[in-house]
Amino acid sequence: MTTIYLKSSFDEPSDTVREAAARGEVTIVAQADLTADILLAHQGLVTDNQLDQNAMLAIKDAITAFLDAGGRWFFNGHFVRPLVDGVAQYRPIADPKRPDFDLSPINPHPLFEAIDLKMLETNKGVAGFYGRGCNPLPNGAAAINGLGAANVPVDWVWARPQGGRIFSHAGNDLGSMGLEWNLAPELTRRIIEWANGGTCLNPWPVSPARPAENLPLASSENYGGMRMSSSKGRRIVAPTSGTYYNIRSLEGPAHTTIFDIICAPEELPELLQPDDVLWVPCRTPANRMIAQKATIMRHLQSGGTVVALGESRSDLWLPAIKFTATPTNWWWWLDPSADLGVRVTDAAADHPLMRGIGHREATWHLHGWFVPPEGTTVLAHDGEGRAILYEDTVSTPGRMIISSLDPMFHHGSHFMPATTRFLDRFVPNLKAYLDV
């Protein structure tokens, strides 16, 4: 038996993961292919922050059996579905300041041996990527690393009484940290080694050090799950990929009332009606939308509307899109005089979609730019004058609202307040503009 590296994203795993697969240390399994039998035939599981938690919830009994049999699960991200009994919903630090992201050890773990945590605390000098809260510490778990003075347990390991172990890292993928010191490959190797039964806390500590009793965490939120509507009028339909950030953005209290239907992408052929607005959230794995390309084209040909947000590779499943990806600069704002150059256009000043949205609300960082077809309305551009948000009513009988901005990812990750401000305005503007 070996470890599953669960591939939930469209992009290929890192070179380190593929090299481990070539050596037989890990088996790469697409999430759509994961079954109870496949899971139970392996001893380890590594998941990333694009994990479809809706799909995992459907095999909760198999996950429990896998752990009960001694399996090990390395979990990156936020628990927002009840995937394992005893693990509570992720909670962010309330109103965090920079010192709240200071990273320090609580109990030593072999996975971090000889690694200076200061090399993981920031990426390019920016804090918050490592984590901004915690999956609350289960009863009997040992905290490994903590955030801030209270040592919010961003990392913990739990030897379940029933069997098996879970290592929780409540932030961006641990195997992507330490970029400036090229630590990501080594961390990935160690994660795979741990999942394969490598050194952990052994013997289990009798009295491990603990975080503060009263942690400065925000309250948990209620996520209502998938949603259906029998309305015959215009509806906003949002396919969810089940990631923690899609779940919070679509189901969380801030914006959930706009969405009439929350469904899996695979349900669109049966649900999508010509009058509907199809809202595709940021960072939806492109393969899941490519499979719905014929349905989406029929929708546009019948006059329907599609809203496609950033990092979902809309160029692969929508027509007339010319997109160029760019490296992401997330550290530009460390210089108080810096300007990313994002500007809303003159056309945006009179456009209902952009009411209340200025340069400030559209600025966090950039992932790429478009060459829109002639006759479209560009609503925001980057510092080079290239489109990053536009409306296209000329390429099809329908309407496409296209952006490379990824506000739902950051709002859903409790990261970057500008993204929430953008959604606070864009969501009601869209609803009013399209008379939903």
Side-chain angles (χ1 to χ4, degrees):
M1 294 193 296
T2 183
T3 283
I4 293 171
Y5 182 93
L6 197 61
K7 182 181 179 296
S8 302
S9 65
F10 175 68
D11 296 327
E12 291 301 313
S14 68
D15 290 345
T16 306
V17 172
R18 295 199 300 272
E19 290 163 4
R23 294 192 298 269
E25 297 168 6
V26 68
T27 301
I28 299 170
V29 177
Q31 180 148 19
D33 297 332
L34 183 67
T35 64
D37 288 342
I38 291 174
L39 179 59
L40 292 169
H42 292 78
Q43 68 179 17
L45 174 66
V46 178
T47 57
D48 62 21
N49 67 6
Q50 288 199 295
L51 178 70
D52 185 340
Q53 295 193 32
N54 293 331
M56 295 301 279
L57 188 60
I59 60 168
K60 180 177 180 177
D61 289 347
I63 293 171
T64 300
F66 162 78
L67 292 168
D68 288 351
R72 291 187 175 192
W73 185 4
F74 193 99
F75 180 92
N76 288 287
H78 307 171
F79 276 102
V80 294
R81 294 287 195 236
L83 303 181
V84 178
D85 292 343
V87 178
Q89 183 193 105
Y90 172 87
R91 293 172 62 190
I93 297 171
D95 302 318
K97 305 296 188 292
R98 172 60 184 87
D100 293 313
F101 301 136
D102 290 346
L103 184 63
S104 57
I106 303 175
N107 291 291
H109 191 281
L111 198 150
F112 295 96
E113 185 177 355
I115 291 179
D116 182 354
L117 293 184
K118 290 299 176 185
M119 293 181 174
L120 306 180
E121 184 176 283
T122 65
N123 271 346
K124 298 285 189 179
V126 179
F129 288 93
Y130 193 89
R132 305 179 66 83
C134 68
N135 298 312
L137 201 64
N139 185 32
I144 303 302
N145 297 317
L147 296 172
N151 272 330
V152 172
V154 64
D155 297 317
W156 50 255
V157 64
W158 183 31
R160 297 170 67 250
Q162 305 92 330
R165 297 192 179 195
I166 298 175
F167 197 115
S168 165
H169 168 68
N172 284 10
D173 293 348
L174 181 61
S176 68
M177 296 293 109
L179 296 178
E180 294 160 88
W181 293 272
N182 196 33
L183 289 174
E186 178 61 22
L187 286 167
T188 300
R189 285 190 288 270
R190 294 185 184 194
I191 289 167
I192 293 171
E193 180 183 0
W194 179 87
N196 271 326
T199 308
C200 190
L201 300 185
N202 189 24
W204 194 259
V206 176
S207 300
R210 295 188 59 81
E213 287 296 322
N214 296 310
L215 297 175
L217 301 177
S219 300
S220 58
E221 296 179 338
N222 180 44
Y223 304 131
M226 301 294 201
R227 177 183 304 152
M228 292 296 151
S229 171
S230 58
S231 171
K232 299 300 182 183
R234 179 168 286 182
R235 309 171 303 179
I236 296 184
V237 178
T240 177
S241 55
T243 58
Y244 68 79
Y245 45 86
N246 276 184
I247 289 171
R248 181 178 190 243
S249 294
L250 295 173
E251 301 174 28
H255 307 115
T256 192
T257 55
I258 188 179
F259 302 107
D260 300 289
I261 292 179
I262 302 173
C263 62
E266 294 73 21
E267 296 177 289
L268 288 175
E270 290 75 36
L271 294 175
L272 200 59
Q273 299 174 1
D275 285 341
D276 289 339
V277 177
L278 174 62
W279 175 301
V280 181
C282 321
R283 304 202 184 202
T284 297
N287 51 295
R288 299 187 71 173
M289 298 310 299
I290 291 169
Q292 310 310 317
K293 189 172 181 178
T295 296
I296 296 168
M297 285 302 303
R298 284 195 299 271
H299 184 60
L300 288 168
Q301 290 300 320
S302 64
T305 295
V306 176
V307 179
L309 297 178
E311 295 290 88
S312 59
R313 289 303 306 270
S314 55
D315 56 305
L316 299 179
W317 46 270
L318 283 175
I321 294 184
K322 296 180 180 179
F323 175 70
T324 300
T326 56
T328 303
N329 180 336
W330 62 82
W331 58 93
W332 63 272
W333 55 266
L334 292 177
D335 179 358
S337 64
D339 182 357
L340 191 60
V342 172
R343 297 290 184 270
V344 297
T345 63
D346 292 341
D350 299 319
H351 199 291
L353 272 177
M354 301 298 285
R355 185 174 293 114
I357 298 177
H359 311 323
R360 182 169 173 263
E361 288 75 26
T363 299
W364 52 93
H365 57 232
L366 298 170
H367 292 288
W369 49 276
F370 301 92
V371 179
E374 186 176 350
T376 59
T377 303
V378 176
L379 301 172
H381 59 70
D382 65 14
E384 304 297 322
R386 302 172 300 199
I388 59 172
L389 172 61
Y390 68 95
E391 180 185 31
D392 181 352
T393 59
V394 300
S395 297
T396 72
R399 171 186 282 107
M400 296 187 291
I401 299 167
I402 308 296
S403 184
S404 59
L405 299 173
D406 58 348
M408 300 186 89
F409 168 73
H410 291 288
H411 170 78
S413 300
H414 307 267
F415 197 8
M416 296 187 181
T419 62
T420 300
R421 293 195 302 269
F422 178 90
L423 289 171
D424 286 346
R425 293 156 177 80
F426 188 78
V427 164
N429 287 353
L430 178 76
K431 196 172 179 71
Y433 177 48
L434 298 177
D435 191 26
V436 180

